[in-house]
Amino acid sequence: MVSKADRGLSGLAGEGNQASDLVSARRTLGIQIESMHMLAAALDGPLGRAIMEAVATIRAARGRVIISGIGKSGHIGRKIAATMASTGTPAYFVHPSEASHGDLGMVTADDAVIALSWSGESSELASILAYTRRFRVPLIAVTWNAASTLGKAADIVLELPKVQEACPHGLAPTSSTMLQLAIGDVLAIALLESRGFTAQDFKVFHPGGKLGASLKHVRDVMHQGAAVPLAPLGTSMKEAILLMNQRGFGCLGVLSEDGRLAGIVTDGDLRRHIADDLLVRSVDEVMTRRPKTIRPDALLATAIEMLNAASITALLVVDDERPVGIVHMHDLLRIGVA
């Protein structure tokens, strides 16, 4: 039988373990944050120049970027390859052990190779190193040790600062793999920007899921024609409220004589004027002037950001100051953007 005292001590022990876990979490993050500061500082030295050279080399390659590494470096390499491929730099991962059993045929003289090894002494990379040297394939090394076998063989060395691993034994790759991943992102984004890779290019490689949906245009989902709640200046609020209820968007666009958007009446406007003889007034007196609008060629990601930032549920779509549609939060929820 467990006594109340024992249960109390057990509870205290659990609380102590939780506190210890939080201390560990803070220590881990502190070490990794310091590692990132060291990496950022290294950009002011040889690493920065090597990154510029690596970007230029990859951009000049007529083929693809081949990324290789073993162990945890291999896992990071796969992520870097995926990031590059999705941002306009054709890339794929070649496992170093498989390379010596036929996969070297995936590497051509038009490619560029990025090899990751924290120590620079991973024996599994030997066949890839030899192959790149034999066929003059540009080799970019990512390691902390430029004097290593990998570093000496490479055309370009991205020498990372030798950082403390977050593992208390200094054994589990933690801070080191984080720096490798960060350098991969640095290269991918620098290549993206140098090539002028746009959101529309991004859409080509990400047609599915929430991300693909957010890269659609407003015109793809907006309501048009008679569905758009619009009324001219001078419309009575009684008529305006009836029209708002019929359309069901919780707002009404107000048009000037030349068809331009003059303002908007929202549910919020109705609440603010409910005690001011609302029904005998005109939309001119109640509407919000200069409402938030969006263009039909804007991305849905932009629409959801505007809706969330302003805490509103609908945006009138305007082209050349004239309303052409309306997009509602429910539309974005329906297709999985919001």
Side-chain angles (χ1 to χ4, degrees):
M1 179 73 68
V2 179
S3 68
K4 291 183 178 180
D6 290 335
R7 287 197 294 270
L9 288 174
S10 176
L12 289 174
E15 291 175 5
N17 288 338
Q18 290 176 348
S20 178
D21 292 342
L22 189 56
V23 169
S24 174
R26 294 186 187 281
R27 183 180 64 248
T28 296
L29 291 178
I31 291 171
Q32 296 198 323
I33 289 169
E34 178 59 28
S35 299
M36 289 298 290
H37 283 315
M38 293 172 65
L39 180 63
L43 294 178
D44 295 327
L47 177 60
R49 294 189 292 274
I51 286 174
M52 290 189 290
E53 188 178 355
V55 170
T57 298
I58 294 171
R59 193 169 54 238
R62 292 178 295 174
R64 301 188 178 191
V65 180
I66 311 301
I67 301 177
S68 191
I70 195 72
K72 302 300 185 292
S73 293
H75 294 306
I76 297 299
R78 291 181 186 277
K79 167 58 170 63
I80 294 173
T83 298
M84 286 189 172
S86 71
T87 53
T89 301
Y92 58 90
F93 179 82
V94 172
H95 195 285
S97 296
E98 297 294 339
S100 60
H101 293 279
D103 281 3
L104 282 174
M106 298 180 181
V107 186
T108 74
D110 292 331
D111 297 331
V113 172
I114 298 176
L116 296 95
S117 172
W118 185 244
S119 68
E121 298 295 346
S122 299
S123 59
E124 293 86 352
L125 290 170
S127 59
I128 287 182
L129 300 191
Y131 188 88
T132 61
R133 301 307 80 192
R134 178 183 177 187
F135 294 102
R136 299 181 180 180
V137 180
L139 175 62
I140 300 166
V142 179
T143 178
W144 77 262
N145 188 4
S148 63
T149 301
L150 173 59
K152 291 178 179 178
D155 299 297
I156 302 168
V157 180
L158 303 183
E159 187 174 18
L160 307 180
K162 189 177 182 181
V163 295
Q164 176 187 356
E165 299 289 11
C167 167
H169 309 297
L171 299 175
T174 46
S175 302
S176 57
T177 48
M178 181 183 66
L179 294 196
Q180 289 176 327
L181 182 60
I183 281 296
D185 288 341
V186 164
L187 294 176
I189 300 305
L191 289 162
L192 176 156
E193 292 178 338
S194 70
R195 287 182 168 135
F197 191 82
T198 67
Q200 288 312 299
D201 297 320
F202 201 82
K203 179 181 177 182
V204 173
F205 301 125
H206 299 79
K210 183 174 181 178
L211 180 57
S214 69
L215 291 170
K216 290 183 178 179
H217 291 107
V218 169
R219 69 163 62 91
D220 297 328
V221 301
M222 70 181 187
H223 301 268
Q224 305 178 59
V228 185
L230 298 171
L233 285 168
T235 301
S236 71
M237 282 305 302
K238 182 176 181 180
E239 184 179 350
I241 292 172
L242 179 61
L243 187 56
M244 289 173 66
N245 287 334
Q246 288 175 345
R247 297 294 186 269
F249 292 106
C251 64
L252 176 74
V254 181
L255 303 178
S256 62
E257 291 183 1
D258 60 0
R260 298 178 188 274
L261 184 65
I264 190 172
V265 177
T266 66
D267 287 337
D269 293 318
L270 299 184
R271 289 192 295 272
R272 283 187 288 273
H273 294 276
I274 192 67
D276 300 335
D277 298 322
L278 180 62
L279 296 182
V280 300
R281 304 181 74 177
S282 71
V283 292
D284 312 45
E285 302 171 82
V286 176
M287 71 182 186
T288 298
R289 300 180 185 276
R290 294 184 295 277
K292 295 185 181 299
T293 62
I294 194 166
R295 289 182 53 79
D297 56 357
L299 295 175
L300 292 185
T302 303
I304 190 65
E305 181 181 358
M306 291 178 64
L307 290 168
N308 286 332
S311 297
I312 55 180
T313 58
L315 283 169
L316 285 170
V317 184
V318 174
D319 190 14
D320 193 25
E321 300 183 37
R322 290 174 168 79
V324 295
I326 187 170
V327 60
H328 195 277
M329 179 67 81
H330 290 166
D331 302 317
L332 305 181
L333 288 169
R334 186 179 63 255
I335 64 173
V337 177

